[in-house]
């Protein structure tokens, strides 16, 4: 079974530029999560999708961050415009409702550096 | 609001030592607790998952325990190796399958 795929793995941009990250969850997993992990901290949930609907986006900075999951499979997370404090690793995870949805599987992450 | 604390924040041990990492959480209404390993700048690797009804899980040199009533978990690593050097994260799954992470313990195993 293929794991959660993310791209790109690394990205360096200047502040005020825009950037997009892509995630492909494990096949059949209905729930998809985006996390932000700042250096030295634990991951923080940004947004949770179930199929193509948003379950929780309470910690997503909506003035600059947006995410979508069209067709309930792949997802993209966008930042526009980026700030220095957005430098972090962005992790995507997925879980299956068939197994209760209580175990999340993580992708390798995208490391973003904003200069 | 669930809060997860990990102690110590950093740990350095010589190769071959046994060690214990600690995790505590404030809300005992959890579905499970996971221990993850993270190498610098990389994603998370799940090491052990303990369901709320379980007391411990073992995988190779790793053993994790869970005391839900007291809000504590420990990760025991036997005969540590330099390859064990990484950050170890504890996370609990609560309502709505929400995962709350601790800030991690950064482990260095020296030769």
């Amino acid at each position: 079974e293929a794991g959660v795929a993310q791209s790109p793995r690394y990205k360096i941009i200047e502040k005020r530029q825009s950037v997009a990250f892509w995630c492909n969850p494990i096949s059949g997993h209905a729930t998809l999560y985006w996390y932000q992990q700042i250096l030295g901290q634990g991951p923080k949930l940004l947004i949770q999708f179930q199929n193509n609907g948003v379950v929780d986006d309470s910690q997503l900075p909506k003035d600059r961050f947006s995410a979508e999951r069209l067709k309930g499979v792949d997802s993209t997370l966008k930042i526009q415009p980026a700030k220095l404090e957005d430098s972090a690793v962005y992790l995507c995870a997925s879980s299956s409702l068939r197994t209760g949805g209580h175990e999340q599987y993580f992708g390798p992450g995208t490391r973003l550096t904003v200069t | 609001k669930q809060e997860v604390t990990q102690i110590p924040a950093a740990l350095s041990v010589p190769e071959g030592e046994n060690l214990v990492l600690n995790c505590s959480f404030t809300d005992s209404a959890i579905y499970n607790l996971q221990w993850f390993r993270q190498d610098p700048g990389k994603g998370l690797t799940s090491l052990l998952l303990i369901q709320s009804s379980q007391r411990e899980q073992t995988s190779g040199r790793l053993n994790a325990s869970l005391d839900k009533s007291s809000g504590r978990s420990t990760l025991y690593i036997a005969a540590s190796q330099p390859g064990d050097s990484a950050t170890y994260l504890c996370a609990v799954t609560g309502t709505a399958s929400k995962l709350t992470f601790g800030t991690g313990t950064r482990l260095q195993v020296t030769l």
Side-chain angles (χ1 to χ4, degrees):
Chain A
E1 177 181 80
V4 177
Q6 290 187 248
S7 67
R9 295 294 313 278
Y10 306 92
K11 190 74 176 179
I12 301 173
I13 62 172
E14 295 181 352
K15 60 183 179 184
R16 292 187 287 275
Q17 286 187 325
S18 62
V19 64
F21 312 127
W22 173 82
C23 173
N24 181 237
I26 293 173
S27 177
H29 280 197
T31 311
L32 184 147
Y33 312 79
W34 283 102
Y35 291 86
Q36 179 194 58
Q37 186 180 21
I38 293 172
L39 186 65
Q41 299 180 18
K44 180 186 80 172
L45 180 68
L46 291 176
I47 189 166
Q48 176 183 346
F49 291 96
Q50 187 161 307
N51 296 311
N52 59 351
V54 175
V55 174
D56 183 354
D57 63 356
S58 57
Q59 297 198 84
L60 186 74
K62 298 180 185 65
D63 57 334
R64 297 184 301 104
F65 285 64
S66 65
E68 61 182 10
R69 191 183 184 200
L70 300 176
K71 301 180 183 178
V73 182
D74 294 4
S75 176
T76 55
L77 176 69
K78 297 180 182 178
I79 307 175
Q80 182 179 11
K83 293 185 176 181
L84 295 177
E85 58 261 38
D86 298 332
S87 294
V89 175
Y90 291 84
L91 297 163
C92 179
S94 68
S95 65
S96 171
L97 292 175
R98 287 194 296 269
T99 55
H102 302 313
E103 183 172 3
Q104 296 181 26
Y105 297 83
F106 284 80
T110 295
R111 186 173 188 178
L112 173 68
T113 302
V114 183
T115 64
Chain B
K1 177 186 173 185
Q2 178 74 271
E3 292 184 2
V4 180
T5 304
Q6 291 188 245
I7 294 173
L11 181 64
S12 180
V13 301
E15 182 181 13
E17 268 203 10
N18 303 324
L19 59 102
V20 175
L21 308 181
N22 296 290
C23 172
S24 62
F25 47 96
T26 55
D27 185 352
S28 61
I30 63 170
Y31 287 103
N32 61 47
L33 181 144
Q34 277 185 271
W35 282 94
F36 293 89
R37 170 187 171 133
Q38 186 173 35
D39 293 290
K42 301 292 178 63
L44 305 178
T45 301
S46 181
L47 298 173
L48 291 165
L49 181 148
I50 312 175
Q51 301 291 355
S52 61
S53 58
Q54 298 175 320
R55 298 284 292 183
E56 66 177 338
Q57 281 285 348
T58 298
S59 175
R61 294 182 295 107
L62 306 179
N63 175 275
S65 68
L66 173 63
D67 184 341
K68 202 174 80 161
S69 61
S70 68
R72 294 182 182 180
S73 175
T74 61
L75 178 66
Y76 175 82
I77 302 177
S80 58
Q81 304 171 358
D84 295 331
S85 298
T87 295
Y88 291 80
L89 291 159
C90 166
V92 295
T93 303
T95 55
S97 299
K98 184 173 181 178
L99 202 58
T100 303
F101 286 86
T103 54
T105 294
R106 192 170 63 255
L107 173 66
Q108 184 174 6
V109 181
T110 58
L111 291 170

